[in-house]
Amino acid sequence: METLSKGQRLPLANLVPDGVLQVGVAAQGLALDVACFGLDAAGKLSDERYMTFFNQPRTPCGGVEARAGSGGDMAEFALQLARLPAGIDRLVVTASIDGGGVMSQLQSGHVRLQAGGRELARFAFAGSDFAQEKAVMLAEIYRKDGGWRCMAVGQGFNGGLDALVQHFGGEVDQTTPAAPAAAASAVMQAKINLEKRVEREAPQLVSLVKQAGVSLQKVGLSEHRAKVCLCLDISGSMGRLYKEGLVQRFAERILALGCKFDDDGEIDVFLFGKNVHHPAPMALSNCNTYVGQAIQRHPLEGDTRYGAAMQAIRAFYFPDKAGGERTRPVAAELPVYVMFVTDGGTSDQATTEKQLRWASNEPIFWQFMGIGKGRKSKSKFLAAFADSDFPFLEKLDELQGRLVDNANYFSVSSPDEHSDAELYDLLMTEYPGWLKLARGHGLLS
């Protein structure tokens, strides 16, 4: 094993001929957030997708992947250098302080290279190496003469993460719109903060958030932002599902999706039966008992009215029409993803169809999920869907007269029928396609 000193360079050609290695980081005495920046030949973050950290764990090419640390490391980056595009000239591994403090308060730390289960090199650092810095570049892996080299850096930045990212992207005038790198810094910091909140306030969601991220990455939505709304049927027939905690656990899975789509750590919730209720959002701080408390305040009701619930949701997000008729497209910066859960048919079918048609002119996507065996409709116009457990939901999925196809439907025998991975994949079946249509019709600004 090679022990590196600050500024020392190490050729990698003989150590890792295939360019496959791991970079591990450890630190004691301070909580640090670790990231890997893929920079161009000018040392700039020209492509934000090559900033790798917990909430963006993999570069598009697969050349860098963030992983949980092992063997005493708090974090690790798996590198496949041959996969990196020619435009990525160097990789810089960094650490920034999570919360208060300065780097001089560190007890000890290291960054190390490993391959094939063997440690190749290590650069050790300690608080005595720093003063008031809040962020530091630890190591750099860069192209040189057709090969790759590693350099131990240890350069700190008093300004913290913002100063570090500005170093990679140029000066930022805070009175004007942020440069891409500074904007990336803000997004990264918000996501890191949310990650820490999830671990602290709702640890049961950590694996769910990660799995949701995997599914979003599959469809190219790793950096997508949207509002998330959960609409729950509280008709009497749903009683067992609430009593057994199945709705609570499903709601947590949707909250985890919301944490990937937004950084506020909460989702909007609507309850509907005969009436529609809009309780406080489900958030990291209240999610553990959210559904049970909501049902205590709003007991199960007779009747089921999809249309009334849809009207209330539309009025909340687009109050200019208050859930009424809309015949022309309206644009918004963020789309709304509605997870609509029911175990039966609705008594206001005509209203529901109108609501879905009108909503097709708004940036709102409806994901319907039917639970169990839906109550069969005797309506003649639903004869084409006679074999479906939810014939009306099936009809909504194919409803004519909409600006764009703004809905999808699937049914489950129970809210926990699918694994987390399967569920999140299902939730992304038609949403990415709707986003393209929505942009094409001017629904997203």
Coordinates of all heavy atoms in Angstrom, one line a residue, residues 105-190:
Q105 N -11.8 20.9 13.6 CA -12.3 20.1 14.6 C -12.3 18.6 14.3 O -12.6 17.8 15.2 CB -13.8 20.6 14.9 CG -13.9 22.0 15.4 CD -15.3 22.5 15.5 OE1 -16.1 22.3 14.6 NE2 -15.7 23.2 16.6
L106 N -11.9 18.3 13.1 CA -11.7 16.9 12.8 C -10.7 16.2 13.7 O -9.7 16.8 14.0 CB -11.2 16.7 11.3 CG -12.3 16.7 10.2 CD1 -11.6 16.8 8.9 CD2 -13.1 15.5 10.3
Q107 N -11.0 15.0 14.1 CA -10.0 14.2 14.8 C -9.1 13.5 13.8 O -7.8 13.7 13.9 CB -10.7 13.1 15.6 CG -11.6 13.7 16.7 CD -12.4 12.7 17.4 OE1 -12.3 11.5 17.2 NE2 -13.3 13.1 18.3
S108 N -9.6 12.8 12.9 CA -8.8 12.2 11.8 C -9.7 11.7 10.7 O -10.9 11.7 10.8 CB -8.1 10.9 12.4 OG -9.1 9.9 12.8
G109 N -9.0 11.4 9.6 CA -9.8 11.0 8.4 C -8.8 10.5 7.3 O -7.6 10.6 7.5
H110 N -9.4 9.8 6.3 CA -8.6 9.4 5.2 C -9.4 9.2 4.0 O -10.7 9.1 4.0 CB -7.9 8.0 5.5 CG -8.9 6.9 5.6 ND1 -9.2 6.2 6.8 CD2 -9.6 6.2 4.7 CE1 -10.0 5.3 6.6 NE2 -10.3 5.2 5.3
V111 N -8.8 9.3 2.8 CA -9.3 8.9 1.6 C -8.4 7.8 1.0 O -7.2 7.9 1.1 CB -9.5 10.1 0.6 CG1 -8.1 10.8 0.4 CG2 -10.1 9.6 -0.7
R112 N -9.0 6.7 0.5 CA -8.1 5.6 0.1 C -8.6 5.0 -1.2 O -9.8 5.0 -1.5 CB -8.0 4.5 1.2 CG -9.4 3.9 1.6 CD -9.2 2.8 2.6 NE -10.4 2.1 2.9 CZ -10.5 0.9 3.5 NH1 -9.4 0.3 3.8 NH2 -11.7 0.4 3.8
L113 N -7.7 4.4 -1.9 CA -8.0 3.7 -3.2 C -7.9 2.2 -2.9 O -7.0 1.7 -2.3 CB -7.0 4.1 -4.3 CG -6.8 5.5 -4.6 CD1 -5.8 5.7 -5.7 CD2 -8.1 6.2 -4.9
Q114 N -8.9 1.5 -3.5 CA -9.0 0.0 -3.4 C -9.3 -0.6 -4.7 O -10.0 0.0 -5.5 CB -10.0 -0.4 -2.3 CG -9.8 0.1 -0.9 CD -10.9 -0.3 0.0 OE1 -10.8 -1.4 0.6 NE2 -11.9 0.5 0.2
A115 N -8.9 -1.8 -4.9 CA -9.3 -2.6 -6.1 C -9.0 -4.1 -5.8 O -8.0 -4.5 -5.2 CB -8.4 -2.2 -7.3
G116 N -10.0 -4.9 -6.2 CA -9.9 -6.3 -6.0 C -9.8 -6.7 -4.6 O -9.1 -7.7 -4.3
G117 N -10.4 -6.0 -3.7 CA -10.3 -6.3 -2.2 C -9.0 -5.9 -1.6 O -8.7 -6.2 -0.4
R118 N -8.1 -5.1 -2.3 CA -6.8 -4.8 -1.8 C -6.7 -3.2 -1.7 O -7.1 -2.6 -2.7 CB -5.7 -5.3 -2.7 CG -4.3 -5.1 -2.3 CD -3.3 -5.9 -3.1 NE -3.4 -5.6 -4.5 CZ -2.6 -4.7 -5.1 NH1 -1.7 -4.0 -4.4 NH2 -2.8 -4.5 -6.4
E119 N -6.2 -2.7 -0.6 CA -5.9 -1.3 -0.5 C -4.7 -0.9 -1.3 O -3.6 -1.4 -1.0 CB -5.9 -0.8 0.9 CG -5.7 0.7 1.1 CD -5.9 1.1 2.5 OE1 -6.4 0.3 3.3 OE2 -5.5 2.3 2.8
L120 N -4.8 0.1 -2.2 CA -3.7 0.5 -3.0 C -2.9 1.7 -2.5 O -1.7 1.7 -2.6 CB -4.2 0.8 -4.5 CG -5.0 -0.2 -5.2 CD1 -5.5 0.3 -6.5 CD2 -4.3 -1.5 -5.3
A121 N -3.7 2.6 -2.0 CA -3.0 3.9 -1.5 C -4.0 4.6 -0.5 O -5.2 4.4 -0.6 CB -2.7 4.8 -2.7
R122 N -3.4 5.4 0.4 CA -4.2 6.1 1.4 C -3.5 7.5 1.6 O -2.3 7.6 1.7 CB -4.2 5.3 2.7 CG -4.9 6.0 3.8 CD -4.8 5.2 5.1 NE -5.5 3.9 5.0 CZ -6.4 3.5 5.9 NH1 -6.7 4.3 6.9 NH2 -7.0 2.3 5.8
F123 N -4.5 8.5 1.7 CA -4.1 9.8 2.1 C -4.8 10.2 3.4 O -6.0 10.2 3.4 CB -4.4 10.8 1.0 CG -4.3 12.3 1.4 CD1 -3.2 12.8 1.9 CD2 -5.4 13.1 1.2 CE1 -3.0 14.1 2.3 CE2 -5.3 14.5 1.5 CZ -4.1 15.0 2.1
A124 N -4.0 10.3 4.4 CA -4.6 10.6 5.7 C -4.6 12.1 6.0 O -3.7 12.9 5.6 CB -3.8 9.9 6.8
F125 N -5.6 12.6 6.7 CA -5.7 14.0 7.1 C -6.3 14.1 8.5 O -6.9 13.2 9.0 CB -6.5 14.8 6.1 CG -7.9 14.2 5.8 CD1 -9.0 14.6 6.6 CD2 -8.1 13.3 4.8 CE1 -10.3 14.1 6.4 CE2 -9.4 12.8 4.6 CZ -10.4 13.1 5.4
A126 N -6.1 15.3 9.1 CA -6.6 15.5 10.4 C -6.9 17.0 10.6 O -6.6 17.8 9.7 CB -5.5 15.1 11.5
G127 N -7.5 17.4 11.7 CA -7.9 18.7 11.9 C -6.8 19.7 11.9 O -6.9 20.9 11.6
S128 N -5.6 19.2 12.3 CA -4.4 20.1 12.4 C -4.0 20.5 11.0 O -3.2 21.5 10.9 CB -3.3 19.3 13.1 OG -3.0 18.1 12.4
D129 N -4.5 19.9 9.9 CA -4.2 20.3 8.6 C -5.0 21.4 8.1 O -4.8 22.0 7.0 CB -4.4 19.1 7.6 CG -3.5 17.9 7.9 OD1 -2.3 18.2 8.4 OD2 -4.0 16.8 7.8
F130 N -6.0 21.8 8.9 CA -7.0 22.9 8.4 C -7.2 23.9 9.5 O -6.7 23.8 10.6 CB -8.3 22.2 8.1 CG -8.2 21.1 7.1 CD1 -8.4 19.8 7.5 CD2 -8.0 21.3 5.8 CE1 -8.3 18.7 6.7 CE2 -7.9 20.3 4.9 CZ -8.0 19.0 5.3
A131 N -7.9 25.0 9.2 CA -8.3 26.0 10.1 C -9.8 26.3 10.1 O -10.5 25.5 10.7 CB -7.5 27.3 9.7
Q132 N -10.3 27.3 9.4 CA -11.7 27.6 9.4 C -12.4 27.1 8.1 O -13.6 27.4 7.9 CB -11.8 29.1 9.4 CG -11.2 29.8 10.6 CD -11.8 29.3 11.9 OE1 -13.0 29.3 12.1 NE2 -10.9 28.8 12.8
E133 N -11.8 26.2 7.4 CA -12.5 25.6 6.2 C -13.7 24.8 6.6 O -13.8 24.2 7.7 CB -11.5 24.7 5.5 CG -10.3 25.4 4.9 CD -9.1 25.3 5.8 OE1 -9.3 25.2 7.1 OE2 -8.0 25.4 5.3
K134 N -14.7 24.9 5.7 CA -15.9 24.1 5.9 C -16.1 23.1 4.8 O -17.1 22.3 4.9 CB -17.1 25.0 6.0 CG -17.2 25.9 7.2 CD -18.4 26.8 7.1 CE -18.5 27.7 8.4 NZ -18.8 26.8 9.6
A135 N -15.3 23.1 3.8 CA -15.3 22.1 2.7 C -13.9 21.9 2.3 O -13.0 22.7 2.4 CB -16.2 22.6 1.6
V136 N -13.7 20.7 1.7 CA -12.3 20.4 1.3 C -12.3 19.4 0.1 O -13.2 18.6 -0.1 CB -11.5 19.7 2.4 CG1 -12.2 18.4 2.9 CG2 -10.1 19.5 2.1
M137 N -11.4 19.7 -0.8 CA -11.1 18.7 -1.9 C -10.1 17.7 -1.4 O -9.0 18.1 -1.0 CB -10.5 19.4 -3.2 CG -11.5 20.3 -3.8 SD -11.0 20.9 -5.5 CE -9.4 21.7 -5.1
L138 N -10.5 16.4 -1.3 CA -9.6 15.4 -0.7 C -8.6 14.8 -1.7 O -7.5 14.6 -1.5 CB -10.5 14.3 -0.1 CG -11.4 14.8 1.0 CD1 -12.3 13.6 1.5 CD2 -10.5 15.3 2.2
A139 N -9.2 14.4 -2.9 CA -8.3 13.7 -3.9 C -8.9 14.0 -5.3 O -10.1 14.3 -5.5 CB -8.3 12.2 -3.6
E140 N -8.0 13.9 -6.2 CA -8.3 14.1 -7.6 C -7.8 13.0 -8.5 O -6.6 12.6 -8.4 CB -7.8 15.4 -8.1 CG -8.1 15.7 -9.6 CD -7.5 17.1 -9.9 OE1 -7.7 18.1 -9.1 OE2 -6.9 17.3 -11.0
I141 N -8.6 12.4 -9.3 CA -8.2 11.4 -10.3 C -8.4 12.0 -11.7 O -9.5 12.5 -12.0 CB -9.1 10.1 -10.2 CG1 -8.8 9.5 -8.8 CG2 -8.8 9.1 -11.3 CD1 -9.6 8.3 -8.5
Y142 N -7.3 12.1 -12.4 CA -7.3 12.9 -13.6 C -6.5 12.2 -14.8 O -5.7 11.4 -14.5 CB -6.7 14.3 -13.4 CG -5.2 14.2 -12.9 CD1 -4.2 14.5 -13.8 CD2 -4.9 13.9 -11.6 CE1 -2.8 14.5 -13.4 CE2 -3.5 13.9 -11.2 CZ -2.5 14.2 -12.1 OH -1.2 14.1 -11.7
R143 N -6.8 12.6 -16.0 CA -6.2 12.1 -17.2 C -4.8 12.8 -17.4 O -4.7 14.0 -17.2 CB -7.0 12.3 -18.4 CG -8.4 11.7 -18.4 CD -9.1 12.0 -19.7 NE -10.6 11.7 -19.6 CZ -11.1 10.5 -20.1 NH1 -10.3 9.6 -20.5 NH2 -12.4 10.3 -20.0
K144 N -3.8 12.0 -17.7 CA -2.5 12.5 -18.0 C -1.8 11.6 -19.0 O -1.6 10.4 -18.7 CB -1.7 12.7 -16.7 CG -0.3 13.2 -16.9 CD -0.3 14.7 -17.3 CE 1.1 15.2 -17.3 NZ 1.2 16.7 -17.7
D145 N -1.4 12.2 -20.1 CA -0.6 11.4 -21.2 C -1.3 10.1 -21.5 O -0.6 9.1 -21.6 CB 0.8 11.2 -20.7 CG 1.6 12.4 -20.4 OD1 1.3 13.5 -21.1 OD2 2.4 12.4 -19.5
G146 N -2.6 10.1 -21.7 CA -3.3 9.0 -22.1 C -3.7 8.0 -21.0 O -4.3 7.0 -21.3
G147 N -3.3 8.3 -19.8 CA -3.6 7.4 -18.7 C -4.2 8.2 -17.5 O -4.5 9.4 -17.7
W148 N -4.5 7.5 -16.4 CA -5.1 8.1 -15.3 C -4.1 8.2 -14.1 O -3.3 7.3 -13.9 CB -6.3 7.4 -14.8 CG -7.5 7.5 -15.8 CD1 -7.8 6.7 -16.8 CD2 -8.5 8.5 -15.7 NE1 -8.9 7.1 -17.5 CE2 -9.4 8.2 -16.8 CE3 -8.8 9.6 -14.9 CZ2 -10.5 9.0 -17.1 CZ3 -9.9 10.4 -15.2 CH2 -10.8 10.0 -16.3
R149 N -4.2 9.3 -13.3 CA -3.4 9.4 -12.2 C -4.2 9.9 -11.0 O -5.3 10.4 -11.2 CB -2.2 10.5 -12.4 CG -1.2 10.1 -13.5 CD -0.1 11.1 -13.5 NE 0.9 10.7 -14.5 CZ 2.0 11.3 -14.7 NH1 2.4 12.4 -13.9 NH2 2.9 11.0 -15.7
C150 N -3.7 9.7 -9.8 CA -4.4 10.2 -8.6 C -3.5 11.1 -7.9 O -2.3 10.9 -7.8 CB -4.8 9.0 -7.7 SG -5.5 9.5 -6.1
M151 N -4.1 12.2 -7.3 CA -3.3 13.2 -6.6 C -4.0 13.4 -5.2 O -5.2 13.6 -5.2 CB -3.2 14.5 -7.3 CG -2.4 15.5 -6.5 SD -2.1 17.1 -7.4 CE -3.7 17.8 -7.5
A152 N -3.2 13.4 -4.1 CA -3.8 13.7 -2.8 C -3.8 15.3 -2.8 O -2.8 15.9 -3.0 CB -2.8 13.2 -1.7
V153 N -5.0 15.8 -2.5 CA -5.1 17.3 -2.6 C -5.2 18.0 -1.2 O -4.2 18.7 -0.8 CB -6.4 17.6 -3.4 CG1 -6.6 19.2 -3.5 CG2 -6.4 17.0 -4.7
G154 N -6.3 17.8 -0.4 CA -6.3 18.4 0.9 C -6.5 19.9 0.9 O -6.1 20.6 1.8
Q155 N -7.1 20.5 -0.2 CA -7.4 21.9 -0.3 C -8.7 22.3 0.3 O -9.7 21.7 -0.1 CB -7.3 22.4 -1.7 CG -7.5 23.9 -1.9 CD -7.5 24.3 -3.4 OE1 -7.1 23.6 -4.2 NE2 -8.0 25.5 -3.6
G156 N -8.7 23.2 1.3 CA -10.0 23.6 1.9 C -10.6 24.9 1.4 O -9.9 25.7 0.7
F157 N -11.8 25.1 1.8 CA -12.6 26.3 1.4 C -13.3 26.9 2.6 O -14.2 26.2 3.1 CB -13.6 26.0 0.2 CG -12.9 25.6 -1.1 CD1 -12.4 24.3 -1.3 CD2 -12.7 26.6 -2.1 CE1 -11.8 24.0 -2.4 CE2 -12.1 26.2 -3.3 CZ -11.6 24.9 -3.4
N158 N -13.0 28.1 3.0 CA -13.7 28.7 4.1 C -15.2 28.8 3.9 O -16.0 28.8 4.8 CB -13.1 30.0 4.5 CG -11.7 29.9 5.1 OD1 -11.2 28.8 5.3 ND2 -11.1 31.0 5.5
G159 N -15.6 29.1 2.7 CA -17.0 29.3 2.3 C -17.8 28.1 2.3 O -19.0 28.2 2.0
G160 N -17.3 26.9 2.5 CA -18.1 25.7 2.6 C -18.4 25.2 1.2 O -17.7 25.5 0.2
L161 N -19.5 24.5 1.1 CA -19.9 23.8 -0.1 C -20.1 24.8 -1.3 O -19.7 24.6 -2.4 CB -21.2 23.0 0.1 CG -21.7 22.2 -1.1 CD1 -20.7 21.2 -1.6 CD2 -23.0 21.6 -0.8
D162 N -20.7 26.0 -1.0 CA -21.0 27.0 -2.0 C -19.7 27.5 -2.7 O -19.5 27.6 -3.9 CB -21.8 28.2 -1.5 CG -23.2 27.8 -1.3 OD1 -23.7 26.8 -1.8 OD2 -23.9 28.6 -0.5
A163 N -18.7 27.7 -1.8 CA -17.4 28.2 -2.3 C -16.7 27.1 -3.1 O -16.1 27.4 -4.1 CB -16.5 28.6 -1.1
L164 N -16.9 25.9 -2.7 CA -16.3 24.7 -3.4 C -16.9 24.6 -4.8 O -16.2 24.5 -5.8 CB -16.6 23.5 -2.6 CG -16.1 22.1 -3.2 CD1 -14.6 22.1 -3.4 CD2 -16.6 21.0 -2.4
V165 N -18.2 24.7 -4.9 CA -18.9 24.5 -6.2 C -18.6 25.8 -7.1 O -18.4 25.6 -8.3 CB -20.4 24.3 -6.0 CG1 -21.1 24.2 -7.4 CG2 -20.6 23.1 -5.2
Q166 N -18.5 26.9 -6.5 CA -18.2 28.1 -7.3 C -16.8 28.0 -7.8 O -16.5 28.5 -8.9 CB -18.3 29.4 -6.4 CG -19.8 29.7 -6.1 CD -19.9 30.9 -5.1 OE1 -19.0 31.7 -4.9 NE2 -21.0 30.9 -4.4
H167 N -15.9 27.3 -7.1 CA -14.6 27.1 -7.6 C -14.6 26.2 -8.8 O -13.8 26.4 -9.8 CB -13.8 26.3 -6.5 CG -12.4 25.9 -6.9 ND1 -11.3 26.8 -7.1 CD2 -11.9 24.7 -7.3 CE1 -10.3 26.1 -7.5 NE2 -10.6 24.8 -7.6
F168 N -15.6 25.3 -8.9 CA -15.7 24.5 -10.1 C -16.5 25.1 -11.2 O -16.4 24.8 -12.4 CB -16.4 23.2 -9.7 CG -15.7 22.3 -8.8 CD1 -16.3 21.5 -7.8 CD2 -14.3 22.2 -8.9 CE1 -15.6 20.7 -7.0 CE2 -13.6 21.3 -8.0 CZ -14.2 20.6 -7.1
G169 N -17.3 26.2 -10.9 CA -18.2 26.8 -11.9 C -18.0 28.3 -12.1 O -18.8 28.8 -12.8
G170 N -17.1 28.9 -11.4 CA -16.9 30.3 -11.6 C -17.6 31.2 -10.5 O -18.3 30.7 -9.7
E171 N -17.4 32.5 -10.6 CA -17.9 33.4 -9.6 C -19.5 33.5 -9.8 O -20.0 33.4 -10.9 CB -17.3 34.8 -9.8 CG -15.9 34.8 -9.4 CD -15.6 34.5 -8.0 OE1 -16.5 34.9 -7.1 OE2 -14.6 33.9 -7.6
V172 N -20.2 33.6 -8.7 CA -21.6 33.7 -8.8 C -22.1 35.0 -8.1 O -21.7 35.3 -7.0 CB -22.3 32.5 -8.0 CG1 -23.8 32.7 -8.1 CG2 -21.9 31.2 -8.6
D173 N -22.8 35.8 -8.9 CA -23.4 37.1 -8.4 C -24.7 36.7 -7.7 O -25.7 36.3 -8.4 CB -23.6 38.0 -9.5 CG -24.2 39.4 -9.0 OD1 -24.5 39.5 -7.8 OD2 -24.4 40.3 -9.9
Q174 N -24.9 36.8 -6.4 CA -26.0 36.4 -5.7 C -27.3 37.3 -6.0 O -28.4 36.9 -5.7 CB -25.8 36.5 -4.2 CG -24.7 35.6 -3.7 CD -25.0 34.1 -4.0 OE1 -26.1 33.7 -4.0 NE2 -23.9 33.3 -4.3
T175 N -27.1 38.4 -6.7 CA -28.2 39.3 -7.1 C -28.8 38.9 -8.4 O -29.8 39.4 -8.8 CB -27.8 40.7 -7.1 OG1 -26.9 40.9 -8.1 CG2 -27.2 41.1 -5.8
T176 N -28.2 38.0 -9.1 CA -28.6 37.5 -10.4 C -28.9 36.1 -10.4 O -28.5 35.4 -9.5 CB -27.6 37.9 -11.5 OG1 -26.4 37.2 -11.2 CG2 -27.3 39.4 -11.6
P177 N -29.6 35.5 -11.4 CA -29.8 34.1 -11.4 C -28.5 33.3 -11.3 O -27.5 33.7 -11.9 CB -30.5 33.9 -12.8 CG -31.2 35.2 -13.0 CD -30.3 36.2 -12.5
A178 N -28.5 32.2 -10.5 CA -27.3 31.5 -10.3 C -26.8 30.8 -11.5 O -27.6 30.4 -12.4 CB -27.6 30.4 -9.2
A179 N -25.5 30.7 -11.6 CA -24.9 29.9 -12.7 C -25.2 28.5 -12.5 O -25.6 28.0 -11.4 CB -23.4 30.1 -12.6
P180 N -25.1 27.6 -13.5 CA -25.4 26.2 -13.4 C -24.8 25.5 -12.2 O -25.4 24.8 -11.5 CB -25.0 25.6 -14.7 CG -25.1 26.8 -15.7 CD -24.7 28.0 -14.9
A181 N -23.5 25.8 -12.0 CA -22.8 25.1 -10.9 C -23.4 25.5 -9.5 O -23.5 24.7 -8.6 CB -21.3 25.4 -10.9
A182 N -23.7 26.8 -9.4 CA -24.2 27.3 -8.1 C -25.6 26.8 -7.9 O -26.0 26.4 -6.8 CB -24.3 28.8 -8.1
A183 N -26.4 26.7 -9.0 CA -27.7 26.1 -8.9 C -27.6 24.6 -8.5 O -28.4 24.1 -7.6 CB -28.5 26.2 -10.2
A184 N -26.7 23.9 -9.1 CA -26.4 22.5 -8.7 C -26.1 22.4 -7.2 O -26.5 21.5 -6.5 CB -25.3 22.0 -9.6
S185 N -25.3 23.4 -6.7 CA -24.9 23.4 -5.3 C -26.1 23.5 -4.4 O -26.3 22.7 -3.4 CB -24.0 24.6 -5.0 OG -23.8 24.7 -3.7
A186 N -27.0 24.4 -4.8 CA -28.2 24.6 -4.0 C -29.1 23.3 -4.0 O -29.6 22.9 -2.9 CB -29.1 25.7 -4.5
V187 N -29.3 22.7 -5.1 CA -30.0 21.5 -5.2 C -29.4 20.4 -4.4 O -30.0 19.6 -3.7 CB -30.2 21.0 -6.7 CG1 -30.8 19.7 -6.8 CG2 -31.0 22.0 -7.5
M188 N -28.1 20.2 -4.6 CA -27.4 19.2 -3.9 C -27.5 19.4 -2.4 O -27.8 18.4 -1.6 CB -25.9 19.2 -4.3 CG -25.0 18.2 -3.5 SD -23.3 18.3 -4.0 CE -22.5 17.5 -2.6
Q189 N -27.3 20.6 -1.9 CA -27.4 20.8 -0.4 C -28.8 20.5 0.1 O -29.0 20.0 1.2 CB -27.0 22.3 -0.1 CG -26.8 22.5 1.4 CD -25.7 21.7 1.9 OE1 -24.6 21.7 1.5 NE2 -26.0 20.9 2.9
A190 N -29.8 20.9 -0.7 CA -31.2 20.6 -0.2 C -31.4 19.1 -0.1 O -32.1 18.7 0.8 CB -32.2 21.3 -1.2

